[in-house]
Amino acid sequence: DPSVFYPTIDYNHFHIQYARNWLNQHPEKKIFVSNGVTLSGQAHNFAMGPLIDSIAKRHSDKTFILSNLESGVTANNIYFSERIIQKGFSDLNENAFLSEHCDTIIGRASGSFTFALTQNNLFNRDCKILCLSNLVPPREGKFWLADLLSDKINYRSPVKTSNESDSGNLINLMESHI
């Protein structure tokens, strides 16, 4: 089964106690947003904070968790993972832990978004995943799967990949996934 090559994380070895406490206090629907920039050129870099802020204000019943601190964010239902985790450095695995408790995962194909592509998120849950990348797969829902594996691996969670860069279209696309 080639799905076993997807990562699993033993969170007992990571700094998750603050995140676990925070999650216990936030039972509402959650959206994890990996808003860091890519340095590899595999996705468009743009300020995601203002877009998410606009969406969050229209969806006050939901909580948004952003992986990176970003200015221009004023909605009171937006939280930054760094402040939830309280580790102070390299918190990619802890961000993956948070993502496994969210209903939607949105992000560029880099950083904390790629760490969120765990076996649990892809194969064991019904979360929606929106990948913003110029690495659009030839077959819908088959992100990062070459022809060799595209018929052998089926994600339980729907994965949408988009190379969209227009702010208005991005807002509509993101809202369609929450």
Side-chain angles (χ1 to χ4, degrees):
D1 179 6
S3 67
V4 300
F5 293 106
Y6 283 80
T8 60
I9 302 170
D10 182 353
Y11 294 113
N12 291 316
H13 300 284
F14 295 97
H15 186 83
I16 62 164
Q17 64 271 20
Y18 292 112
R20 189 182 309 276
N21 292 339
W22 185 89
L23 287 165
N24 287 335
Q25 297 170 10
H26 290 274
E28 67 275 49
K29 186 173 184 179
K30 290 176 275 309
I31 295 90
F32 179 83
V33 181
S34 176
N35 62 317
V37 298
T38 62
L39 303 177
S40 62
Q42 60 201 30
H44 299 288
N45 286 320
F46 55 89
M48 286 180 77
L51 301 180
I52 298 300
D53 191 64
S54 171
I55 294 168
K57 287 176 180 170
R58 287 193 300 276
H59 296 274
S60 59
D61 59 324
K62 298 169 183 68
T63 293
F64 294 78
I65 302 169
L66 274 61
S67 64
N68 293 70
L69 297 174
E70 193 169 336
S71 62
V73 175
T74 60
N76 61 4
N77 56 333
I78 294 178
Y79 298 85
F80 295 100
S81 65
E82 178 180 310
R83 294 179 180 154
I84 295 168
I85 296 165
Q86 300 181 35
K87 185 177 177 185
F89 63 96
S90 187
D91 58 3
L92 290 170
N93 289 298
E94 291 82 0
N95 273 281
F97 174 77
L98 285 171
S99 78
E100 289 190 3
H101 296 85
C102 292
D103 302 279
T104 301
I105 299 168
I106 298 172
R108 295 181 184 95
S110 186
S112 58
F113 177 82
T114 60
F115 271 69
L117 296 179
T118 63
Q119 282 185 28
N120 196 36
N121 280 336
L122 290 169
F123 303 109
N124 302 329
R125 304 179 55 233
D126 293 315
C127 64
K128 294 178 182 177
I129 300 173
L130 174 60
C131 176
L132 304 174
S133 174
N134 57 25
L135 304 172
V136 177
R139 292 174 59 192
E140 183 64 37
K142 299 291 184 170
F143 183 67
W144 280 350
L145 294 177
D147 288 338
L148 177 66
L149 295 176
S150 63
D151 289 330
K152 294 179 173 74
I153 294 179
N154 292 303
Y155 305 130
R156 176 174 167 180
S157 294
V159 179
K160 168 79 174 159
T161 306
S162 175
N163 192 25
E164 184 60 61
S165 61
D166 176 78
S167 295
N169 291 340
L170 278 165
I171 287 174
N172 291 336
L173 182 61
M174 289 183 213
E175 279 195 298
S176 72
H177 281 75
I178 59 168

mmCIF file of all heavy atoms in Angstrom, residues 84-130:
data_model
loop_
_atom_site.group_PDB
_atom_site.id
_atom_site.type_symbol
_atom_site.label_atom_id
_atom_site.label_comp_id
_atom_site.label_asym_id
_atom_site.label_seq_id
_atom_site.Cartn_x
_atom_site.Cartn_y
_atom_site.Cartn_z
ATOM 1 N N ILE A 84 -0.592 30.015 19.670
ATOM 2 C CA ILE A 84 -1.287 28.854 20.232
ATOM 3 C C ILE A 84 -0.267 27.844 20.748
ATOM 4 O O ILE A 84 -0.379 27.330 21.857
ATOM 5 C CB ILE A 84 -2.198 28.195 19.169
ATOM 6 C CG1 ILE A 84 -3.318 29.140 18.760
ATOM 7 C CG2 ILE A 84 -2.753 26.868 19.683
ATOM 8 C CD1 ILE A 84 -4.090 28.690 17.528
ATOM 9 N N ILE A 85 0.741 27.554 19.933
ATOM 10 C CA ILE A 85 1.735 26.524 20.238
ATOM 11 C C ILE A 85 2.700 26.967 21.338
ATOM 12 O O ILE A 85 3.088 26.177 22.191
ATOM 13 C CB ILE A 85 2.497 26.132 18.958
ATOM 14 C CG1 ILE A 85 1.522 25.493 17.961
ATOM 15 C CG2 ILE A 85 3.668 25.211 19.265
ATOM 16 C CD1 ILE A 85 2.049 25.396 16.545
ATOM 17 N N GLN A 86 3.107 28.225 21.301
ATOM 18 C CA GLN A 86 4.009 28.821 22.299
ATOM 19 C C GLN A 86 5.348 28.099 22.399
ATOM 20 O O GLN A 86 5.881 27.892 23.480
ATOM 21 C CB GLN A 86 3.347 28.876 23.674
ATOM 22 C CG GLN A 86 2.080 29.697 23.713
ATOM 23 C CD GLN A 86 1.465 29.763 25.072
ATOM 24 O OE1 GLN A 86 2.170 29.799 26.079
ATOM 25 N NE2 GLN A 86 0.142 29.791 25.140
ATOM 26 N N LYS A 87 5.884 27.737 21.264
ATOM 27 C CA LYS A 87 7.192 27.066 21.239
ATOM 28 C C LYS A 87 8.326 28.050 20.973
ATOM 29 O O LYS A 87 9.402 27.908 21.521
ATOM 30 C CB LYS A 87 7.175 25.959 20.181
ATOM 31 C CG LYS A 87 8.430 25.116 20.144
ATOM 32 C CD LYS A 87 8.288 23.997 19.123
ATOM 33 C CE LYS A 87 9.550 23.176 19.020
ATOM 34 N NZ LYS A 87 9.442 22.182 17.943
ATOM 35 N N GLY A 88 8.079 29.005 20.078
ATOM 36 C CA GLY A 88 9.070 30.032 19.809
ATOM 37 C C GLY A 88 10.036 29.731 18.677
ATOM 38 O O GLY A 88 10.825 30.575 18.301
ATOM 39 N N PHE A 89 10.023 28.541 18.116
ATOM 40 C CA PHE A 89 10.904 28.203 17.002
ATOM 41 C C PHE A 89 10.379 26.941 16.318
ATOM 42 O O PHE A 89 9.564 26.223 16.870
ATOM 43 C CB PHE A 89 12.345 27.977 17.479
ATOM 44 C CG PHE A 89 12.472 26.812 18.434
ATOM 45 C CD1 PHE A 89 12.833 25.552 17.985
ATOM 46 C CD2 PHE A 89 12.218 26.979 19.795
ATOM 47 C CE1 PHE A 89 12.920 24.486 18.863
ATOM 48 C CE2 PHE A 89 12.318 25.918 20.673
ATOM 49 C CZ PHE A 89 12.672 24.670 20.213
ATOM 50 N N SER A 90 10.845 26.692 15.133
ATOM 51 C CA SER A 90 10.546 25.501 14.339
ATOM 52 C C SER A 90 9.359 24.678 14.839
ATOM 53 O O SER A 90 9.511 23.704 15.560
ATOM 54 C CB SER A 90 11.793 24.611 14.276
ATOM 55 O OG SER A 90 11.558 23.546 13.383
ATOM 56 N N ASP A 91 8.172 25.083 14.427
ATOM 57 C CA ASP A 91 6.953 24.442 14.924
ATOM 58 C C ASP A 91 6.132 23.767 13.816
ATOM 59 O O ASP A 91 4.915 23.694 13.889
ATOM 60 C CB ASP A 91 6.097 25.452 15.682
ATOM 61 C CG ASP A 91 5.686 26.662 14.847
ATOM 62 O OD1 ASP A 91 6.012 26.700 13.642
ATOM 63 O OD2 ASP A 91 5.042 27.557 15.397
ATOM 64 N N LEU A 92 6.790 23.240 12.807
ATOM 65 C CA LEU A 92 6.083 22.619 11.688
ATOM 66 C C LEU A 92 5.284 21.392 12.120
ATOM 67 O O LEU A 92 4.143 21.203 11.692
ATOM 68 C CB LEU A 92 7.068 22.251 10.574
ATOM 69 C CG LEU A 92 7.667 23.444 9.826
ATOM 70 C CD1 LEU A 92 8.798 22.993 8.917
ATOM 71 C CD2 LEU A 92 6.606 24.170 9.033
ATOM 72 N N ASN A 93 5.860 20.550 12.959
ATOM 73 C CA ASN A 93 5.127 19.366 13.424
ATOM 74 C C ASN A 93 3.952 19.756 14.305
ATOM 75 O O ASN A 93 2.885 19.135 14.245
ATOM 76 C CB ASN A 93 6.064 18.407 14.164
ATOM 77 C CG ASN A 93 7.014 17.722 13.216
ATOM 78 O OD1 ASN A 93 6.598 17.001 12.325
ATOM 79 N ND2 ASN A 93 8.305 17.966 13.395
ATOM 80 N N GLU A 94 4.116 20.788 15.102
ATOM 81 C CA GLU A 94 3.018 21.265 15.946
ATOM 82 C C GLU A 94 1.910 21.878 15.099
ATOM 83 O O GLU A 94 0.723 21.743 15.415
ATOM 84 C CB GLU A 94 3.544 22.271 16.975
ATOM 85 C CG GLU A 94 4.439 21.658 18.038
ATOM 86 C CD GLU A 94 5.895 21.463 17.637
ATOM 87 O OE1 GLU A 94 6.266 21.802 16.497
ATOM 88 O OE2 GLU A 94 6.661 20.946 18.461
ATOM 89 N N ASN A 95 2.277 22.535 13.994
ATOM 90 C CA ASN A 95 1.271 23.028 13.056
ATOM 91 C C ASN A 95 0.517 21.859 12.425
ATOM 92 O O ASN A 95 -0.697 21.925 12.225
ATOM 93 C CB ASN A 95 1.918 23.888 11.967
ATOM 94 C CG ASN A 95 2.042 25.326 12.382
ATOM 95 O OD1 ASN A 95 1.080 26.066 12.322
ATOM 96 N ND2 ASN A 95 3.225 25.725 12.817
ATOM 97 N N ALA A 96 1.207 20.785 12.124
ATOM 98 C CA ALA A 96 0.546 19.590 11.590
ATOM 99 C C ALA A 96 -0.468 19.062 12.602
ATOM 100 O O ALA A 96 -1.568 18.652 12.225
ATOM 101 C CB ALA A 96 1.579 18.518 11.244
ATOM 102 N N PHE A 97 -0.105 19.075 13.884
ATOM 103 C CA PHE A 97 -1.030 18.640 14.938
ATOM 104 C C PHE A 97 -2.298 19.488 14.911
ATOM 105 O O PHE A 97 -3.408 18.963 14.929
ATOM 106 C CB PHE A 97 -0.351 18.738 16.309
ATOM 107 C CG PHE A 97 -1.267 18.450 17.450
ATOM 108 C CD1 PHE A 97 -1.629 17.148 17.767
ATOM 109 C CD2 PHE A 97 -1.787 19.482 18.221
ATOM 110 C CE1 PHE A 97 -2.498 16.878 18.824
ATOM 111 C CE2 PHE A 97 -2.648 19.230 19.278
ATOM 112 C CZ PHE A 97 -3.001 17.926 19.577
ATOM 113 N N LEU A 98 -2.140 20.810 14.845
ATOM 114 C CA LEU A 98 -3.314 21.692 14.771
ATOM 115 C C LEU A 98 -4.154 21.379 13.537
ATOM 116 O O LEU A 98 -5.385 21.324 13.603
ATOM 117 C CB LEU A 98 -2.887 23.160 14.756
ATOM 118 C CG LEU A 98 -2.425 23.765 16.070
ATOM 119 C CD1 LEU A 98 -1.830 25.146 15.848
ATOM 120 C CD2 LEU A 98 -3.571 23.823 17.067
ATOM 121 N N SER A 99 -3.487 21.156 12.391
ATOM 122 C CA SER A 99 -4.222 20.903 11.149
ATOM 123 C C SER A 99 -5.086 19.660 11.252
ATOM 124 O O SER A 99 -6.144 19.583 10.628
ATOM 125 C CB SER A 99 -3.257 20.773 9.965
ATOM 126 O OG SER A 99 -2.620 19.497 9.933
ATOM 127 N N GLU A 100 -4.654 18.681 12.043
ATOM 128 C CA GLU A 100 -5.415 17.442 12.174
ATOM 129 C C GLU A 100 -6.688 17.621 13.001
ATOM 130 O O GLU A 100 -7.459 16.681 13.153
ATOM 131 C CB GLU A 100 -4.531 16.337 12.770
ATOM 132 C CG GLU A 100 -3.480 15.864 11.777
ATOM 133 C CD GLU A 100 -2.732 14.627 12.220
ATOM 134 O OE1 GLU A 100 -3.049 14.054 13.288
ATOM 135 O OE2 GLU A 100 -1.818 14.214 11.481
ATOM 136 N N HIS A 101 -6.909 18.833 13.499
ATOM 137 C CA HIS A 101 -8.126 19.150 14.247
ATOM 138 C C HIS A 101 -8.946 20.229 13.536
ATOM 139 O O HIS A 101 -9.827 20.834 14.137
ATOM 140 C CB HIS A 101 -7.761 19.598 15.669
ATOM 141 C CG HIS A 101 -7.111 18.497 16.450
ATOM 142 N ND1 HIS A 101 -5.772 18.243 16.384
ATOM 143 C CD2 HIS A 101 -7.645 17.571 17.273
ATOM 144 C CE1 HIS A 101 -5.494 17.208 17.152
ATOM 145 N NE2 HIS A 101 -6.606 16.778 17.693
ATOM 146 N N CYS A 102 -8.638 20.442 12.263
ATOM 147 C CA CYS A 102 -9.339 21.461 11.482
ATOM 148 C C CYS A 102 -10.191 20.796 10.406
ATOM 149 O O CYS A 102 -9.889 19.706 9.934
ATOM 150 C CB CYS A 102 -8.329 22.413 10.839
ATOM 151 S SG CYS A 102 -7.470 23.435 12.057
ATOM 152 N N ASP A 103 -11.250 21.491 10.030
ATOM 153 C CA ASP A 103 -12.184 20.994 9.024
ATOM 154 C C ASP A 103 -11.706 21.283 7.605
ATOM 155 O O ASP A 103 -12.101 20.603 6.667
ATOM 156 C CB ASP A 103 -13.558 21.625 9.246
ATOM 157 C CG ASP A 103 -14.058 21.323 10.648
ATOM 158 O OD1 ASP A 103 -14.571 20.215 10.860
ATOM 159 O OD2 ASP A 103 -13.893 22.181 11.543
ATOM 160 N N THR A 104 -10.879 22.311 7.472
ATOM 161 C CA THR A 104 -10.344 22.708 6.178
ATOM 162 C C THR A 104 -8.876 23.074 6.350
ATOM 163 O O THR A 104 -8.492 23.666 7.358
ATOM 164 C CB THR A 104 -11.108 23.927 5.610
ATOM 165 O OG1 THR A 104 -12.488 23.586 5.478
ATOM 166 C CG2 THR A 104 -10.568 24.369 4.270
ATOM 167 N N ILE A 105 -8.075 22.727 5.346
ATOM 168 C CA ILE A 105 -6.663 23.086 5.311
ATOM 169 C C ILE A 105 -6.431 23.822 4.000
ATOM 170 O O ILE A 105 -6.741 23.304 2.924
ATOM 171 C CB ILE A 105 -5.767 21.834 5.387
ATOM 172 C CG1 ILE A 105 -6.022 21.079 6.695
ATOM 173 C CG2 ILE A 105 -4.294 22.208 5.239
ATOM 174 C CD1 ILE A 105 -5.416 19.689 6.737
ATOM 175 N N ILE A 106 -5.888 25.029 4.104
ATOM 176 C CA ILE A 106 -5.621 25.866 2.935
ATOM 177 C C ILE A 106 -4.168 26.306 3.005
ATOM 178 O O ILE A 106 -3.691 26.698 4.076
ATOM 179 C CB ILE A 106 -6.528 27.117 2.920
ATOM 180 C CG1 ILE A 106 -8.003 26.724 2.827
ATOM 181 C CG2 ILE A 106 -6.137 28.067 1.787
ATOM 182 C CD1 ILE A 106 -8.971 27.888 3.002
ATOM 183 N N GLY A 107 -3.469 26.293 1.881
ATOM 184 C CA GLY A 107 -2.118 26.828 1.897
ATOM 185 C C GLY A 107 -1.361 26.613 0.613
ATOM 186 O O GLY A 107 -1.786 25.877 -0.274
ATOM 187 N N ARG A 108 -0.225 27.290 0.549
ATOM 188 C CA ARG A 108 0.683 27.117 -0.577
ATOM 189 C C ARG A 108 1.407 25.771 -0.409
ATOM 190 O O ARG A 108 1.588 25.299 0.707
ATOM 191 C CB ARG A 108 1.704 28.245 -0.607
ATOM 192 C CG ARG A 108 1.097 29.597 -0.870
ATOM 193 C CD ARG A 108 2.198 30.663 -0.900
ATOM 194 N NE ARG A 108 1.632 31.972 -1.051
ATOM 195 C CZ ARG A 108 1.361 32.800 -0.052
ATOM 196 N NH1 ARG A 108 1.608 32.461 1.192
ATOM 197 N NH2 ARG A 108 0.852 33.989 -0.286
ATOM 198 N N ALA A 109 1.854 25.220 -1.496
ATOM 199 C CA ALA A 109 2.528 23.913 -1.480
ATOM 200 C C ALA A 109 3.931 24.046 -0.898
ATOM 201 O O ALA A 109 4.932 23.846 -1.579
ATOM 202 C CB ALA A 109 2.582 23.339 -2.887
ATOM 203 N N SER A 110 4.001 24.371 0.376
ATOM 204 C CA SER A 110 5.284 24.588 1.023
ATOM 205 C C SER A 110 5.079 24.619 2.533
ATOM 206 O O SER A 110 3.944 24.711 3.017
ATOM 207 C CB SER A 110 5.867 25.935 0.544
ATOM 208 O OG SER A 110 7.171 26.125 1.031
ATOM 209 N N GLY A 111 6.141 24.551 3.277
ATOM 210 C CA GLY A 111 6.127 24.769 4.724
ATOM 211 C C GLY A 111 5.095 23.979 5.479
ATOM 212 O O GLY A 111 4.956 22.766 5.321
ATOM 213 N N SER A 112 4.343 24.686 6.321
ATOM 214 C CA SER A 112 3.386 24.015 7.198
ATOM 215 C C SER A 112 2.259 23.328 6.420
ATOM 216 O O SER A 112 1.673 22.371 6.911
ATOM 217 C CB SER A 112 2.819 24.992 8.226
ATOM 218 O OG SER A 112 2.194 26.070 7.590
ATOM 219 N N PHE A 113 1.976 23.777 5.203
ATOM 220 C CA PHE A 113 0.967 23.080 4.401
ATOM 221 C C PHE A 113 1.435 21.666 4.081
ATOM 222 O O PHE A 113 0.678 20.707 4.208
ATOM 223 C CB PHE A 113 0.660 23.831 3.098
ATOM 224 C CG PHE A 113 -0.315 23.097 2.220
ATOM 225 C CD1 PHE A 113 -1.678 23.188 2.449
ATOM 226 C CD2 PHE A 113 0.128 22.278 1.187
ATOM 227 C CE1 PHE A 113 -2.591 22.490 1.661
ATOM 228 C CE2 PHE A 113 -0.772 21.581 0.404
ATOM 229 C CZ PHE A 113 -2.138 21.686 0.642
ATOM 230 N N THR A 114 2.691 21.513 3.659
ATOM 231 C CA THR A 114 3.178 20.181 3.319
ATOM 232 C C THR A 114 3.246 19.291 4.563
ATOM 233 O O THR A 114 3.015 18.093 4.468
ATOM 234 C CB THR A 114 4.549 20.227 2.619
ATOM 235 O OG1 THR A 114 5.501 20.847 3.481
ATOM 236 C CG2 THR A 114 4.464 20.996 1.314
ATOM 237 N N PHE A 115 3.530 19.867 5.712
ATOM 238 C CA PHE A 115 3.540 19.087 6.947
ATOM 239 C C PHE A 115 2.126 18.647 7.334
ATOM 240 O O PHE A 115 1.952 17.672 8.051
ATOM 241 C CB PHE A 115 4.186 19.875 8.086
ATOM 242 C CG PHE A 115 5.670 19.668 8.168
ATOM 243 C CD1 PHE A 115 6.514 20.166 7.192
ATOM 244 C CD2 PHE A 115 6.234 18.960 9.221
ATOM 245 C CE1 PHE A 115 7.884 19.976 7.253
ATOM 246 C CE2 PHE A 115 7.598 18.762 9.301
ATOM 247 C CZ PHE A 115 8.429 19.268 8.308
ATOM 248 N N ALA A 116 1.125 19.366 6.852
ATOM 249 C CA ALA A 116 -0.268 18.994 7.129
ATOM 250 C C ALA A 116 -0.755 17.840 6.259
ATOM 251 O O ALA A 116 -1.813 17.286 6.507
ATOM 252 C CB ALA A 116 -1.180 20.211 6.934
ATOM 253 N N LEU A 117 0.017 17.463 5.259
ATOM 254 C CA LEU A 117 -0.375 16.364 4.378
ATOM 255 C C LEU A 117 0.029 15.029 5.011
ATOM 256 O O LEU A 117 0.815 14.262 4.474
ATOM 257 C CB LEU A 117 0.244 16.529 2.988
ATOM 258 C CG LEU A 117 -0.217 17.771 2.222
ATOM 259 C CD1 LEU A 117 0.464 17.856 0.872
ATOM 260 C CD2 LEU A 117 -1.729 17.797 2.073
ATOM 261 N N THR A 118 -0.553 14.756 6.163
ATOM 262 C CA THR A 118 -0.281 13.523 6.900
ATOM 263 C C THR A 118 -1.253 12.432 6.468
ATOM 264 O O THR A 118 -2.296 12.711 5.866
ATOM 265 C CB THR A 118 -0.433 13.754 8.413
ATOM 266 O OG1 THR A 118 -1.798 14.110 8.692
ATOM 267 C CG2 THR A 118 0.513 14.840 8.918
ATOM 268 N N GLN A 119 -0.916 11.204 6.824
ATOM 269 C CA GLN A 119 -1.840 10.099 6.558
ATOM 270 C C GLN A 119 -3.194 10.375 7.192
ATOM 271 O O GLN A 119 -4.235 10.105 6.587
ATOM 272 C CB GLN A 119 -1.276 8.781 7.116
ATOM 273 C CG GLN A 119 -0.204 8.167 6.276
ATOM 274 C CD GLN A 119 0.229 6.816 6.802
ATOM 275 O OE1 GLN A 119 -0.534 6.100 7.442
ATOM 276 N NE2 GLN A 119 1.472 6.464 6.518
ATOM 277 N N ASN A 120 -3.177 10.898 8.402
ATOM 278 C CA ASN A 120 -4.434 11.163 9.091
ATOM 279 C C ASN A 120 -5.304 12.151 8.311
ATOM 280 O O ASN A 120 -6.495 11.909 8.109
ATOM 281 C CB ASN A 120 -4.170 11.666 10.513
ATOM 282 C CG ASN A 120 -5.395 11.586 11.380
ATOM 283 O OD1 ASN A 120 -6.196 10.670 11.268
ATOM 284 N ND2 ASN A 120 -5.553 12.551 12.256
ATOM 285 N N ASN A 121 -4.718 13.258 7.872
ATOM 286 C CA ASN A 121 -5.494 14.262 7.137
ATOM 287 C C ASN A 121 -5.938 13.775 5.758
ATOM 288 O O ASN A 121 -7.034 14.094 5.308
ATOM 289 C CB ASN A 121 -4.701 15.561 6.986
ATOM 290 C CG ASN A 121 -4.736 16.404 8.232
ATOM 291 O OD1 ASN A 121 -5.655 16.300 9.046
ATOM 292 N ND2 ASN A 121 -3.732 17.238 8.409
ATOM 293 N N LEU A 122 -5.113 13.015 5.090
ATOM 294 C CA LEU A 122 -5.430 12.588 3.728
ATOM 295 C C LEU A 122 -6.311 11.355 3.656
ATOM 296 O O LEU A 122 -7.166 11.250 2.776
ATOM 297 C CB LEU A 122 -4.134 12.325 2.949
ATOM 298 C CG LEU A 122 -3.307 13.563 2.607
ATOM 299 C CD1 LEU A 122 -1.944 13.155 2.092
ATOM 300 C CD2 LEU A 122 -4.030 14.428 1.591
ATOM 301 N N PHE A 123 -6.121 10.403 4.577
ATOM 302 C CA PHE A 123 -6.767 9.102 4.437
ATOM 303 C C PHE A 123 -7.756 8.749 5.536
ATOM 304 O O PHE A 123 -8.572 7.845 5.357
ATOM 305 C CB PHE A 123 -5.704 7.992 4.369
ATOM 306 C CG PHE A 123 -4.714 8.177 3.262
ATOM 307 C CD1 PHE A 123 -3.409 8.536 3.530
ATOM 308 C CD2 PHE A 123 -5.091 8.016 1.942
ATOM 309 C CE1 PHE A 123 -2.482 8.713 2.505
ATOM 310 C CE2 PHE A 123 -4.188 8.189 0.903
ATOM 311 C CZ PHE A 123 -2.875 8.543 1.190
ATOM 312 N N ASN A 124 -7.700 9.411 6.683
ATOM 313 C CA ASN A 124 -8.520 8.997 7.834
ATOM 314 C C ASN A 124 -9.596 9.991 8.232
ATOM 315 O O ASN A 124 -10.364 9.710 9.148
ATOM 316 C CB ASN A 124 -7.630 8.730 9.051
ATOM 317 C CG ASN A 124 -6.587 7.680 8.768
ATOM 318 O OD1 ASN A 124 -6.800 6.777 7.978
ATOM 319 N ND2 ASN A 124 -5.436 7.804 9.410
ATOM 320 N N ARG A 125 -9.634 11.149 7.603
ATOM 321 C CA ARG A 125 -10.575 12.195 7.999
ATOM 322 C C ARG A 125 -11.326 12.711 6.789
ATOM 323 O O ARG A 125 -10.947 12.454 5.662
ATOM 324 C CB ARG A 125 -9.808 13.374 8.641
ATOM 325 C CG ARG A 125 -8.962 12.987 9.815
ATOM 326 C CD ARG A 125 -8.211 14.186 10.410
ATOM 327 N NE ARG A 125 -9.137 15.241 10.748
ATOM 328 C CZ ARG A 125 -9.022 16.498 10.328
ATOM 329 N NH1 ARG A 125 -8.023 16.878 9.594
ATOM 330 N NH2 ARG A 125 -9.907 17.410 10.674
ATOM 331 N N ASP A 126 -12.360 13.477 7.062
ATOM 332 C CA ASP A 126 -13.120 14.133 5.997
ATOM 333 C C ASP A 126 -12.904 15.637 6.053
ATOM 334 O O ASP A 126 -13.840 16.397 6.265
ATOM 335 C CB ASP A 126 -14.614 13.801 6.136
ATOM 336 C CG ASP A 126 -14.899 12.347 5.868
ATOM 337 O OD1 ASP A 126 -14.366 11.806 4.888
ATOM 338 O OD2 ASP A 126 -15.650 11.735 6.650
ATOM 339 N N CYS A 127 -11.663 16.054 5.904
ATOM 340 C CA CYS A 127 -11.405 17.504 5.855
ATOM 341 C C CYS A 127 -11.230 17.899 4.393
ATOM 342 O O CYS A 127 -10.943 17.077 3.542
ATOM 343 C CB CYS A 127 -10.175 17.859 6.684
ATOM 344 S SG CYS A 127 -8.625 17.151 6.102
ATOM 345 N N LYS A 128 -11.440 19.166 4.113
ATOM 346 C CA LYS A 128 -11.239 19.687 2.762
ATOM 347 C C LYS A 128 -9.839 20.283 2.702
ATOM 348 O O LYS A 128 -9.411 20.976 3.634
ATOM 349 C CB LYS A 128 -12.267 20.762 2.445
ATOM 350 C CG LYS A 128 -13.682 20.243 2.371
ATOM 351 C CD LYS A 128 -14.636 21.386 2.093
ATOM 352 C CE LYS A 128 -16.069 20.918 2.071
ATOM 353 N NZ LYS A 128 -16.987 22.038 1.872
ATOM 354 N N ILE A 129 -9.144 20.034 1.598
ATOM 355 C CA ILE A 129 -7.782 20.525 1.437
ATOM 356 C C ILE A 129 -7.704 21.335 0.154
ATOM 357 O O ILE A 129 -8.056 20.834 -0.920
ATOM 358 C CB ILE A 129 -6.775 19.359 1.419
ATOM 359 C CG1 ILE A 129 -6.867 18.570 2.735
ATOM 360 C CG2 ILE A 129 -5.361 19.872 1.175
ATOM 361 C CD1 ILE A 129 -6.045 17.302 2.779
ATOM 362 N N LEU A 130 -7.250 22.574 0.285
ATOM 363 C CA LEU A 130 -7.063 23.456 -0.861
ATOM 364 C C LEU A 130 -5.595 23.823 -0.953
ATOM 365 O O LEU A 130 -5.068 24.503 -0.074
ATOM 366 C CB LEU A 130 -7.920 24.719 -0.738
ATOM 367 C CG LEU A 130 -7.702 25.785 -1.812
ATOM 368 C CD1 LEU A 130 -7.993 25.238 -3.214
ATOM 369 C CD2 LEU A 130 -8.560 27.013 -1.518
#
